[in-house]
Amino acid sequence: MRKLKSVLLVSAAGLAAAGGARAADLPVKVKAIEYVKICSLYGAGFYYIPGSDTCIKLGGYVRADMLVKTAVDFDAAGNGVGGAQNRLSNGYTARARQDLTIDTRTASEYGTLRTFFEGVFTWTSGTYTATGSGSTVYQSLGGITAPANAGPGNAAYGTVGIYYAFIQFAGFTIGKAESQFRTPWAEYPANNFELPGSGGWDPINQFTYTASFGQGLTASISAQDQVVAYTSNVWNVNAASAAGIAAGAYGGNDIGGTRAPDLVAQVRLDQSWGLFQASIAAHDNHAAYYGATELTGHPDDKWGWAGQLALSIKNLPTGPGDTVNITGVYTNGASRYNFQDYMSTTFAMYGGTNLPGAYQSLGIAGVSDSVFVAGGSQELTTTYGFNGGYTHNWNAYWNSSIFGAWAAVRYNNTAKSYICGAVVANLALSTGLAGCNPDFNYAVVGMKTSWNPVKNLAFTAEIGYLMLDQKYATGSTVSLPQQSGIAKPGALYELKDQSSLVMLLRAQRNW
């Protein structure tokens, strides 16, 4: 036993001596490693990516919306089951969204090299459409349709979206970024509700060069993708149907493949008092074929255009932070620069009637870039409009705004003759060609109030009133076929102006 203890003590002493020798080789004090370093070059929230000279900033928001009296987030009940105004129409629609932004910047001899990404995860409650046999089927709104055995609510399904994904370098912007046509506030001068009267918010793929002349003056030229956000309808009236016209579509949507991007130019003056901007865009209308095959022929391409002026005024005498934003636009063959891509381009709104023999009233309207018939050329559609809003800050926690918009759609005489021939033939318009006029006006007015109890947290209540002013002759009626999806019977309907009221309740936390 004594021998065993002696061996253990000698071994322990040896280990202690070895450990002491190694400890003597180490520095007395180890410098702390700096894993995250603040980057102050580009404003608050940026940090250096460890081991690099690139700065990164993460951000985003979580948002919850509740819309009353509509089946569409941000918009009024203008068509489909929403416009039907019956038991299929949503009394409310809910949406939840998570947004994520990633902003990286690196200093270079050519200026700042920047990349920016913004993506969203969204879930929106859907609607039920009728099958025509006394049952309904769930329709996902912007979501991924679940398997049939997943249940009618599809509660676990939603969408993944990409808003921004671009590179900026030496004055160039390449990728998915905001259109150079739009203003900083786009269709939101003082609101969340969707308005016509300006270019839209949606970012779009582009190749852009921006020159800065100092004193807040910049100019940009851009080639941007027209497909998703800046093409409305190219109507082949030979493909018009009773069901389509009843839903606001005056023909088959006969758009061909891409041939040229939209060409956009912008000049902007950004000052302490506000902002002035002028934008112009050229849009190629490239139709497909008159009929089923190449042998039927096609109309030649026609270029349309859009022009926009915008003004923002800050530092108003009504209070600090108060703002007025105003935009006006004119288009010919480029209607999406007025009726922006979050809005529908077809309207079918139902209401009551006092006309003897009529089942209900209906307001139908449609927006297009061009209209044609077999053997004819494209007839470009003209639109014009404006939107504006005023925001007043009551104090650091409360602000209110009022807003409005008005837009008009006008078809030339040739396009009207094409459309009206289809309306009379398919829907038996009672007043005939003399009472047919597919022109219309579209207006929205509303107000919004927000409460910001703490920084980056907002609760908002907003109300909007939409008015559809159609131009068919007073007392005109149409004979509609049964529309199973919205449970409307085949009957006589009075053509009449319509309106819709919608309310938005929102909670949003930015970070």
Side-chain angles (χ1 to χ4, degrees):
M1 181 64 71
R2 279 197 293 269
K3 288 183 178 181
L4 180 59
K5 287 183 178 179
S6 298
V7 172
L8 292 174
L9 288 172
V10 170
S11 300
L15 290 171
R22 286 194 296 269
D25 294 335
L26 294 174
V28 176
K29 191 175 182 180
V30 179
K31 184 178 179 181
I33 299 175
E34 187 175 19
Y35 291 100
V36 179
K37 182 180 178 182
I38 294 174
C39 174
S40 58
L41 296 175
Y42 309 108
F46 282 92
Y47 296 88
Y48 282 100
I49 297 175
S52 78
D53 59 354
T54 298
C55 300
I56 188 170
K57 180 180 181 180
L58 302 178
Y61 63 79
V62 173
R63 173 190 294 169
D65 286 352
M66 179 72 73
L67 278 294
V68 181
K69 293 293 291 181
T70 182
V72 183
D73 197 78
F74 299 130
D75 208 353
N79 56 22
V81 293
Q85 295 297 309
N86 59 19
R87 293 185 64 83
L88 297 174
S89 306
N90 276 4
Y92 70 90
T93 297
R95 169 175 286 184
R97 170 172 288 171
Q98 167 68 70
D99 177 278
L100 173 67
T101 62
I102 304 173
D103 192 348
T104 71
R105 307 190 194 190
T106 306
S108 77
E109 59 184 304
Y110 298 96
T112 300
L113 167 60
R114 183 191 186 198
T115 68
F116 187 82
F117 168 85
E118 183 175 1
V120 292
F121 306 89
T122 304
W123 185 88
T124 307
S125 60
T127 63
Y128 286 85
T129 58
T131 63
S133 60
S135 62
T136 61
V137 60
Y138 179 80
Q139 298 291 317
S140 176
L141 293 180
I144 301 170
T145 301
N149 61 358
N154 295 340
Y157 293 78
T159 59
V160 177
I162 296 177
Y163 284 158
Y164 291 89
F166 64 81
I167 300 169
Q168 287 182 323
F169 177 69
F172 291 93
T173 299
I174 306 168
K176 197 168 189 283
E178 66 180 61
S179 169
Q180 302 306 308
F181 190 87
R182 64 165 258 197
T183 63
W185 58 89
E187 71 266 33
Y188 307 115
N191 54 288
N192 298 304
F193 193 75
E194 294 304 326
L195 301 179
S198 69
W201 178 89
D202 244 355
I204 192 166
N205 284 339
Q206 62 190 269
F207 186 92
T208 297
Y209 179 74
T210 300
S212 179
F213 302 101
Q215 305 299 316
L217 181 62
T218 60
S220 300
I221 55 173
S222 178
Q224 69 178 33
D225 179 32
Q226 63 165 246
V227 176
V228 176
Y230 286 100
T231 296
S232 65
N233 299 299
V234 175
W235 276 328
N236 182 346
V237 180
N238 291 106
S241 65
I245 297 172
Y250 290 120
N253 206 358
D254 203 1
I255 302 171
T258 58
R259 287 300 179 271
D262 283 8
L263 305 176
V264 179
Q266 176 211 103
V267 176
R268 180 183 294 176
L269 180 63
D270 201 335
Q271 300 285 305
S272 60
W273 54 261
L275 174 149
F276 173 78
Q277 178 180 312
S279 310
I280 191 167
H283 174 81
D284 178 38
N285 292 289
H286 180 74
Y289 298 99
Y290 292 129
T293 72
E294 298 170 353
L295 298 177
T296 61
H298 60 82
D300 293 336
D301 285 19
K302 272 196 176 181
W303 280 82
W305 67 278
Q308 178 177 270
L309 296 176
L311 178 67
S312 178
I313 303 175
K314 305 176 183 177
N315 302 320
L316 297 171
T318 54
D322 289 8
T323 306
V324 169
N325 297 320
I326 303 172
T327 309
V329 65
Y330 182 96
T331 77
N332 182 244
S335 299
R336 275 300 191 194
Y337 289 92
N338 184 358
F339 287 81
Q340 40 78 23
D341 67 304
Y342 283 168
M343 294 182 62
S344 175
T345 54
T346 56
F347 302 92
M349 302 173 65
Y350 290 83
T353 182
N354 294 318
L355 190 68
Y359 172 68
Q360 286 181 341
S361 64
L362 168 66
I364 56 173
V367 184
S368 67
D369 288 332
S370 70
V371 178
F372 68 91
V373 295
S377 62
Q378 295 188 70
E379 301 297 328
L380 300 184
T381 305
T382 296
T383 81
Y384 44 90
F386 69 91
N387 63 46
Y390 164 65
T391 300
H392 172 64
N393 293 277
W394 301 101
N395 52 42
Y397 306 102
W398 290 90
N399 67 75
S400 297
S401 63
I402 56 174
F403 58 88
W406 179 89
V409 174
R410 299 292 183 263
Y411 292 94
N412 66 28
N413 289 334
T414 302
K416 285 180 179 177
S417 69
Y418 296 160
I419 292 172
C420 289
V423 172
V424 171
N426 285 278
L427 300 186
L429 180 66
S430 63
T431 52
L433 294 176
C436 178
N437 187 350
D439 294 347
F440 71 96
N441 301 330
Y442 181 101
V444 181
V445 293
M447 60 180 63
K448 174 175 72 72
T449 293
S450 293
W451 175 47
N452 301 270
V454 298
K455 185 178 179 180
N456 294 329
L457 175 65
F459 298 96
T460 300
E462 182 173 350
I463 190 167
Y465 183 66
L466 174 149
M467 294 157 283
L468 178 66
D469 174 21
Q470 54 89 48
K471 300 299 182 181
Y472 289 94
T474 302
S476 294
T477 62
V478 288
S479 180
L480 301 189
Q482 177 177 315
Q483 299 173 80
S484 298
I486 59 175
K488 292 297 181 182
L492 197 69
Y493 292 80
E494 178 190 10
L495 293 181
K496 186 178 178 182
D497 298 346
Q498 303 292 335
S499 61
S500 179
L501 186 68
V502 62
M503 183 177 185
L504 166 67
L505 301 175
R506 168 175 291 177
Q508 180 165 323
R509 168 73 162 97
N510 295 346
W511 55 277

